[in-house]
């Protein structure tokens, strides 16, 4: 191997090559082309004897793409785009392979590819700052940068069926199909597996075989591909402006431009819902299918409507109702395993020589010399086809023995699931890149768009290093941990974790159950990757002759759905509340309450009037559906003592009532600035006294009373507890303080760190305080309960704080101070939440668990007080 001049090399040891790429599929080929263009010495090692990757190996009958070919093709070269015409909507494997071969020829790529050569080990040499690789040919090679373009679906799953090697007939695997034509004519054939590969191949195998028996463990959802000519609309859009077409795909949700509904499935009438599903059934496009409503993979109720629609289609297509029912999936939400696209799959089961065996009822006991034994039958076959899937996303990467800094094996580092930064790199393994690695959109997108984006990002990164005379890049542990958390958080607000899918690693025995891809969308992901670069490679440490630096940090510390909420609020373009008049601020606040989800049903809601400190005050009572009497929670709304009311916190009160099984009484209190300090606190205390006195009349349980409040309402709740203690009653069992105002010190770290950008700003809090109280009163414990001399003998408290909230630190301080004074205190810190998201019922899924915990804490507290 010759050493050429390496750009930005400085004085470190020369490597044989600047870059080694593993894999000659779509990813490796484009990367090689780009690297050459940038003047790097580069080589691909590929275990197959030609280019193609997926499309080299998966030659089974019926193999086609499931993203339309116009979309599923390279966009980087205008000539290539102009000269290649796809023959149909979903091209076959041979056509896609021809396309890849054409690309290899056009850009003369084969001369830098070593075929039939597997990379077996890769070791980071810390001293020399190079990777040293060993191949199946026994060669060693060193390189500065090492890229795994090894594919998400290239490592077949190890066969886990007893007796698989006993069979004396022919066996085939869809993922390693022979190059010579396989003829099943006149044969008795078994197919095991009904994922995309099985569903594509079964109808074609049935055309030839004398008998076909399909062994199904889990049925899948499939919609008709409706293959044929390229849809005229798509073609004309493409021809009208290729670059605009591609750019739109790059900034789309899944790498394909389809209209994305702004409605959830339950927000339209049943008639409209069915009509849209019918349209999808006719369209033959899997991205359109899962975006027909915006909550198909997030809302179980919406999901169930689509799943039942598809099941009804299956029932209509398959003549035998038992067979149809066996083909109907029930045990995972639709879309949480890759939706299949088929051509006459379900109809195949109407053929007299095709039989479906339900492995849930009669599992395979063993493969024998002549066939397959199930728990109640022996089958004889001439051929068995395994369509049993892949060790997806991580399999091909950890199959190489990769040792990073201090000899740490990647397979050990990833033993509990892969850890990456952006799905591109992993800490402790400098200069090692992955294309479409775990933690990137990859398999949830049109892979061509994701592949090109990763290749471009890596190449831009290498250029950046060269420009700065650096030659080492590696993510920091903090950045990586933050990304892993963010990817998991995104998965957790969807239905994906409910499926035993290969997305979850659930198909491979012993593989850790972790949601592997990033589900936030190609567009959001691209924004994040660009942001990392724009912030001077946030989360990376780089070094080389040009120096060394660490730019530590987390790129998305806020919960994903909270970020979406913040973006929606920002997009509305309202001026800051603290720049509005009080009247305008109240009108705005009320208008915000009209568009949101209503919250859950409760048994009864009654508006009434109670006696406040200076006259009557309105209240709203929420009664659980269960038979009474119930404990009572006196609740105080948020709004900085100036805004808010019964309506503003209505969904949260409904939910608190439904989940705690307590009566919730949302009490008004006089607002500032018309009624300044201590009006709100005095009203709060008077309201609690009134509720305690009238508990029985309200069908509540006397002396089963808690106070709760959010924000300024949390302040009132905390103050009421102190007043009740000092005045000898009423007896309060518990205080739930949700992101409460407890102090008037606006200089704490959380005020500084979260001053702006998280809806509740430091300026807005200042506005609230100024309206509420004269500076002389800011220290008064009736305004700032943290300032009280005595915090002992208060009711047990649950203090909820949000990470990105100016009020976070004073909430923590109040929890700590009460605990120090001997009060039983639980502190619930909410990671990635902001002040407003914690109460956004049915809008922010990630805060729902915290609210459920609050309700549960109240419920337990009431139970404990009864026992005492
Ligand atoms: P691959 O094409 O998988 O190439 C990786 C290459 O690396 C392989 O050739 C492999 O031999 C080689 N390799 C791996 N390890 C080593 C090693 N240690 N040493 C040497 N060589 C190694 N995606 C879509 O977006 N749309 C589709 O329609 C679609 N259809 C698909 C159909 C099938 C049947 C399958 C299996 C996948 C499909 N995919 C589809 C996903 C598909 O894998 C990607 O679209 C894309 O082809 C991946 O390209 P790649 O270059 O990243 O990886
Ligand atoms: P798959 O979706 O993982 O399906 C594998 C099938 O084999 C499942 O039905 C599985 O059942 C079954 N199976 C595995 N082990 C088994 C065992 N021991 N006993 C009985 N059954 C067993 O794999 P795939 O079909 O190859 O598809 C993988 C992915 O590749 C797809 O999701 C898609 O992304 C891509 N792909 C795309 C296309 C396309 O249309 N373009 C075609 C093929 C593949 P269980 O579900 O019960 O485990």
């Amino acid at each position: 191997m010759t050493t050429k001049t390496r750009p930005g090399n400085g004085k470190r040891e020369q490597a044989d090559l600047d870059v080694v790429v593993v894999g000659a599929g779509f990813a490796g080929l484009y990367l090689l082309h780009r690297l050459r263009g940038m003047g790097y010495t580069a080589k691909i090692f590929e275990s197959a004897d030609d280019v193609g990757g997926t499309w080299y190996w998966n030659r089974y009958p019926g193999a086609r793409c499931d993203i339309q070919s116009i979309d599923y093709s390279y966009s980087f070269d205008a000539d290539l785009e102009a000269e290649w015409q796809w023959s149909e909507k979903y091209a076959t494997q041979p056509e896609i392979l021809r396309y890849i071969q054409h690309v290899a020829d056009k850009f003369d790529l084969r001369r830098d590819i070593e075929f039939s050569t597997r990379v077996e080990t890769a070791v980071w040499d810390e001293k020399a700052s190079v990777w040293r690789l060993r191949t199946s040919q026994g060669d060693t090679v060193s390189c500065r940068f090492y890229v795994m373009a090894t594919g998400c679906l290239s490592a077949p799953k190890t066969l886990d069926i007893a007796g698989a090697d006993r069979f004396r007939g022919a066996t085939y695997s869809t993922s390693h199909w022979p190059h010579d034509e396989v003829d099943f004519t006149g044969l008795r054939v078994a197919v095991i597996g009904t994922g995309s590969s099985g569903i594509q191949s079964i109808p074609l195998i049935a055309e030839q075989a004398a008998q076909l028996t399909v062994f199904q463990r889990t049925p899948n959802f499939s919609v008709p591909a409706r293959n044929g000519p390229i849809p005229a609309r798509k073609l004309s859009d493409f021809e009208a402006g290729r670059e605009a077409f591609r750019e739109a795909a790059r900034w789309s949700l899944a790498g394909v431009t389809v209209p994305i509904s702004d409605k959830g499935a339950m927000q339209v009438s049943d008639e409209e819902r069915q009509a849209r599903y019918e349209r999808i059934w006719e369209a033959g496009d899997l991205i359109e299918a899962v975006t027909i409503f915006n909550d198909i993979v997030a809302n179980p109720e919406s999901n169930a409507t689509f799943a039942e629609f598809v099941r009804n289609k299956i029932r209509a297509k398959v003549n035998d109702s038992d067979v149809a029912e066996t083909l109907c999936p029930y045990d995972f939400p639709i879309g949480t395993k890759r939706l299949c696209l088929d051509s006459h799959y379900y109809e195949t089961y109407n053929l007299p020589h095709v039989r479906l065996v339900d492995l849930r009822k009669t599992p395979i006991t063993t493969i024998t010399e002549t066939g397959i034994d199930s728990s109640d039958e022996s089958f004889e076959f001439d051929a068995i086809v395994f369509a049993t899937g892949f060790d997806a996303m991580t399999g091909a990467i950890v199959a190489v023995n990769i040792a990073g800094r201090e000899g740490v094996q990647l397979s050990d580092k990833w033993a509990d699931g892969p850890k990456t930064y952006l799905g591109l790199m992993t800490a402790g393994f400098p200069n090692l890149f992955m294309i479409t690695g775990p933690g990137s959109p990859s398999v949830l997108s049109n892979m061509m768009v994701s592949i090109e984006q990763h290749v471009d990002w890596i190449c831009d990164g290498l250029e950046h290093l060269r420009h700065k005379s650096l030659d080492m890049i590696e993510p920091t542990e903090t950045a990586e941990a933050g990304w892993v958390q963010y990817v998991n958080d995104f998965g957790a607000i969807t239905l994906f974790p409910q499926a035993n899918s290969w997305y979850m690693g659930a198909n491979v025995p012993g593989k850790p159950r972790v949601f592997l891809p990033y589900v936030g969308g190609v567009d959001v992901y691209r924004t994040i990757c660009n942001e990392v670069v724009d912030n001077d490679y946030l989360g990376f440490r780089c070094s080389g002759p040009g120096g060394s630096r660490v730019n530590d940090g987390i790129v998305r510390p806020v919960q994903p759905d909270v970020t979406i909420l913040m973006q929606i609020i920002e997009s509305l373009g309202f001026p800051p509340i603290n720049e509005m008049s009080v009247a305008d601020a109240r009108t705005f606040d009320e208008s915000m309450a009209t568009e949101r989800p209503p919250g859950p049903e409760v048994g009864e809601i009654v508006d009434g009037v109670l006696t406040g400190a200076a006259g009557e005050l309105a209240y709203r009572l929420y009664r659980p559906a269960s038979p009474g009497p119930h404990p009572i929670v006196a609740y105080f709304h948020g709004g900085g003592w100036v805004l808010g009311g019964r309506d503003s916190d209505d969904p949260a009160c409904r939910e608190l009532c439904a989940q705690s099984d307590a009566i919730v009484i949302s009490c008004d209190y006089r607002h500032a600035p018309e009624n300044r300090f201590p009006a709100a606190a005095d009203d709060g205390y008077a309201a609690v006294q009134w509720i305690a006195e009238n508990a029985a009349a309200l069908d509540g349980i006397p002396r089963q009373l808690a106070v709760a409040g959010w924000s300024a309402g949390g302040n009132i709740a905390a103050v009421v507890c102190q007043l009740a203690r000092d005045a000898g009653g009423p007896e309060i069992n518990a205080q739930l303080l949700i992101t409460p105002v407890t102090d008037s010190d606006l200089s704490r770290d959380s005020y500084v760190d979260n001053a702006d950008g998280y809806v509740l700003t430091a300026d807005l809090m200042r506005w609230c305080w100024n309206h509420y109280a004269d500076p002389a009163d800011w220290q008064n414990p009736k305004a700032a309960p943290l300032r009280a001399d005595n915090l002992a003998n208060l009711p047990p408290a649950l203090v909820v704080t949000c990470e990105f909230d100016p009020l976070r630190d004073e909430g923590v301080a109040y929890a700590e101070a009460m605990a120090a004074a001997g009060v039983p205190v639980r502190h619930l810190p909410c990671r990635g939440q902001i002040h407003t998201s914690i109460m956004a019922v049915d809008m922010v899924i990630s805060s729902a668990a915290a609210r459920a915990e609050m309700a549960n804490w109240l419920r337990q507290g009431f139970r404990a007080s009864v026992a005492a």
Side-chain angles (χ1 to χ4, degrees):
M1 219 156 278
T2 52
T3 304
K4 297 186 185 155
T5 319
R6 186 166 54 77
N9 183 32
K11 287 202 163 56
R12 297 206 191 183
E13 179 195 305
Q14 278 283 11
D16 296 330
L17 292 159
D18 295 320
V19 189
V20 163
V21 181
V22 190
F26 276 124
L29 294 181
Y30 176 43
L31 180 58
L32 177 61
H33 172 66
R34 285 271 344 244
L35 290 170
R36 274 195 195 156
M38 289 160 54
Y40 287 97
T41 58
K43 182 174 209 124
I44 293 181
F45 290 99
E46 166 58 61
S47 56
D49 62 10
D50 198 4
V51 297
T54 290
W55 304 102
Y56 171 94
W57 296 107
N58 293 265
R59 297 166 186 248
Y60 59 85
R64 292 176 186 276
C65 50
D66 59 5
I67 297 287
Q68 296 192 35
S69 292
I70 281 196
D71 300 297
Y72 188 60
S73 48
Y74 285 124
S75 76
F76 69 87
D77 188 88
D79 283 351
L80 173 64
E81 280 188 321
E83 73 201 12
W84 189 269
Q85 304 291 325
W86 293 105
S87 67
E88 47 188 342
K89 181 176 165 188
Y90 295 108
T92 58
Q93 172 273 329
E95 186 173 358
I96 301 172
L97 186 58
R98 277 202 303 282
Y99 172 74
I100 301 178
Q101 289 166 339
H102 169 75
V103 171
D105 293 341
K106 180 179 173 74
F107 299 104
D108 188 19
L109 298 175
R110 283 194 180 83
R111 69 181 154 86
D112 283 322
I113 306 177
E114 218 159 295
F115 290 110
S116 305
T117 306
R118 166 165 287 278
V119 172
E120 291 182 332
T121 60
V123 177
W124 172 248
D125 182 334
E126 179 80 40
K127 228 167 152 185
S129 201
V130 296
W131 281 96
R132 299 194 190 282
L133 314 187
R134 195 166 47 73
T135 75
S136 54
Q137 306 287 357
D139 295 329
T140 55
V141 60
S142 65
C143 56
R144 188 72 58 199
F145 301 100
Y146 166 47
V147 187
M148 295 293 276
T150 43
C152 297
L153 294 159
S154 60
K157 191 184 100 157
T158 308
L159 261 184
D160 52 356
I161 304 174
D165 51 356
R166 281 168 64 188
F167 187 62
R168 288 202 302 264
T171 57
Y172 303 96
S173 166
T174 49
S175 56
H176 271 82
W177 201 261
H179 289 208
D180 300 330
E181 201 181 327
V182 177
D183 186 1
F184 291 113
T185 306
L187 302 184
R188 297 161 303 169
V189 183
V191 174
I192 302 176
T194 50
S196 301
S197 303
I199 282 176
Q200 281 189 330
S201 58
I202 284 163
L204 280 111
I205 295 173
E207 280 179 16
Q208 292 183 336
Q211 284 174 28
L212 172 62
T213 309
V214 176
F215 291 84
Q216 171 193 277
R217 190 163 62 185
T218 311
N220 254 303
F221 291 100
S222 185
V223 300
R226 310 227 181 262
N227 198 20
I230 299 168
R233 174 85 189 275
K234 185 156 248 325
L235 192 57
S236 64
D237 282 358
F238 182 61
E239 299 293 355
R242 291 176 190 195
E243 189 40 41
F245 182 96
R246 297 298 195 187
E247 192 61 6
R250 288 179 197 122
W251 290 99
S252 66
L253 179 74
V256 177
T257 39
V258 292
I260 309 256
S261 174
D262 61 354
K263 286 215 155 48
M266 308 317 291
Q267 288 175 289
V268 302
S269 66
D270 186 46
E271 207 178 12
E272 183 179 345
R273 201 161 44 235
Q274 295 305 317
R276 286 209 203 182
Y277 292 152
E278 288 292 349
R279 237 173 39 228
I280 281 309
W281 192 254
E282 293 308 315
D285 187 297
L286 66 82
I287 306 289
E288 277 188 59
V290 287
T291 52
I292 188 71
F293 290 109
N294 65 12
D295 62 351
I296 290 292
V297 289
N299 178 351
E301 211 185 338
S302 299
N303 189 282
T305 63
F306 188 33
E308 187 57 13
F309 172 86
V310 175
R311 283 193 289 262
N312 281 333
K313 290 291 184 190
I314 298 171
R315 291 175 189 124
K317 274 174 182 254
V318 179
N319 299 340
D320 183 314
S321 59
D322 288 343
V323 175
E325 218 36 46
T326 306
L327 287 165
C328 284
Y330 284 100
D331 59 355
F332 61 95
I334 187 167
T336 58
K337 286 185 169 191
R338 193 179 181 92
L339 196 59
C340 302
L341 276 190
D342 71 275
S343 298
H344 315 299
Y345 172 64
Y346 293 113
E347 294 86 336
T348 302
Y349 292 97
N350 294 333
L351 299 172
H353 66 294
V354 177
R355 179 171 165 198
L356 180 66
V357 174
D358 182 354
L359 296 182
R360 295 275 168 95
K361 289 190 181 140
T362 55
I364 294 175
T365 50
T366 183
I367 294 179
T368 65
E369 284 71 13
T370 54
I372 295 175
D373 282 358
S374 76
S375 57
D376 74 343
E377 198 171 339
S378 276
F379 298 84
E380 301 266 301
F381 295 113
D382 303 305
I384 302 177
V385 174
F386 296 103
T388 43
F390 299 87
D391 182 353
M393 302 209 66
T394 55
I397 298 175
V398 296
V400 177
N401 218 335
I402 302 177
R405 283 191 199 284
E406 292 163 17
V408 172
Q409 292 285 319
L410 186 62
S411 53
D412 288 341
K413 180 183 170 184
W414 286 8
D416 298 328
K419 295 176 182 61
T420 73
Y421 185 38
L422 305 172
L424 277 159
M425 298 195 80
T426 184
F429 296 78
N431 291 357
L432 164 61
F433 296 92
M434 289 158 276
I435 298 190
T436 63
S440 73
S442 58
V443 291
L444 296 179
S445 68
N446 170 5
M447 290 281 279
M448 293 302 288
V449 170
S450 291
I451 284 170
E452 287 192 337
Q453 188 235 343
H454 267 192
V455 169
D456 291 341
W457 195 95
I458 292 168
C459 290
D460 291 349
L462 297 187
E463 277 303 90
H464 168 82
L465 295 180
R466 176 154 73 179
H467 180 68
K468 301 263 178 192
S469 289
L470 302 170
D471 59 10
M472 200 285 294
I473 181 166
E474 180 191 354
T476 67
E477 287 76 7
T478 314
E480 179 172 283
W483 184 253
V484 169
Q485 186 68 63
Y486 175 64
V487 169
N488 285 336
D489 287 344
F490 231 134
I493 59 171
T494 71
L495 304 175
F496 280 96
Q498 294 183 18
N500 286 323
S501 63
W502 58 259
Y503 296 142
M504 296 294 301
N507 65 325
V508 175
K511 192 166 171 173
R513 203 187 160 96
V514 175
F515 185 57
L516 295 166
Y518 167 78
V519 74
V522 160
D523 46 356
V524 176
Y525 176 78
R526 186 181 290 270
T527 304
I528 294 170
C529 290
N530 291 353
E531 211 173 290
V532 164
V533 172
D534 293 345
N535 286 313
D536 199 15
Y537 285 85
L538 175 66
F540 286 101
R541 61 167 63 90
C542 302
S543 62
S548 73
R549 58 156 191 79
V550 183
N551 185 8
D552 208 359
I554 294 178
V555 65
R556 278 290 179 279
V558 177
Q559 287 279 350
D561 49 356
V562 176
T563 306
I564 294 167
L565 179 74
M566 293 194 314
Q567 283 163 349
I568 293 171
I569 293 172
E570 198 183 329
S571 72
L572 299 174
F574 293 114
I577 291 180
N578 47 291
E579 289 175 14
M580 296 182 189
S581 69
V582 167
D584 287 351
R586 286 182 185 151
T587 309
F588 169 75
D589 191 50
E590 282 157 21
S591 72
M592 293 296 277
T594 56
E595 289 291 316
R596 65 193 173 178
E601 293 288 326
V602 295
E604 184 188 29
I605 298 180
V606 191
D607 282 344
V609 174
L610 55 75
T611 312
E616 290 190 332
L617 294 171
Y619 71 80
R620 181 168 295 163
L621 182 147
Y622 304 81
R623 196 183 305 285
S626 61
H630 298 96
I632 301 180
V633 179
Y635 178 86
F636 300 100
H637 66 78
W641 305 285
V642 178
L643 313 172
R646 278 153 297 150
D647 288 338
S648 63
D649 291 29
D650 185 72
C653 288
R654 285 165 174 266
E655 195 188 68
L656 188 63
C657 167
Q659 293 186 347
S660 66
D661 203 33
I663 292 170
V664 173
I665 302 181
S666 176
C667 312
D668 270 9
Y669 49 88
R670 282 169 294 158
H671 277 163
E674 296 87 342
N675 298 283
R676 286 164 68 83
F677 174 81
D682 287 343
D683 278 348
Y685 182 45
V688 170
Q689 283 177 306
W690 184 89
I691 290 169
E693 283 159 16
N694 291 278
L698 295 164
D699 201 21
I701 305 173
R703 286 179 303 285
Q704 286 271 291
L705 176 63
V707 294
W710 169 49
S711 193
N715 170 274
I716 293 169
V719 169
V720 163
C721 289
Q722 294 189 10
L723 296 176
R725 176 199 60 187
D726 296 343
E731 190 184 325
I732 297 173
N733 299 119
Q735 47 175 333
L736 168 60
L737 310 180
I738 310 164
T739 60
V741 181
T742 69
D743 195 15
S744 49
D745 176 358
L746 312 191
S747 67
R748 287 191 160 81
D749 285 353
S750 57
Y751 258 97
V752 176
D753 296 347
N754 309 315
D756 203 4
Y758 301 107
V759 184
L760 177 64
T761 62
D763 285 346
L764 179 53
M765 272 316 297
R766 205 163 284 115
W767 182 87
C768 295
W769 270 106
N770 284 329
H771 280 308
Y772 183 47
D774 292 337
D777 292 323
W778 285 24
Q779 318 288 321
N780 189 321
K782 259 174 106 171
L786 181 62
R787 306 258 163 182
D789 291 337
N790 176 14
L791 290 175
N793 301 318
L794 291 169
L798 174 60
V799 182
V800 181
T801 58
C802 292
E803 188 177 1
F804 298 98
D805 180 0
L807 303 182
R808 180 195 66 208
D809 290 352
E810 65 196 69
V812 174
Y814 196 53
E816 288 173 354
M818 283 192 292
V823 175
V825 176
R826 230 189 106 204
H827 173 215
L828 178 61
C830 297
R831 182 178 53 73
Q833 297 293 333
I834 63 171
H835 189 75
T836 38
S837 62
I838 196 68
M839 297 297 263
V841 173
D842 293 337
M843 292 166 75
V844 171
I845 300 172
S846 60
S847 60
R851 287 193 309 277
E853 218 170 317
M854 297 176 212
N856 192 40
W857 179 83
L858 281 173
R859 198 193 261 258
Q860 306 276 339
F862 286 130
R863 270 201 210 125
S865 69
V866 171

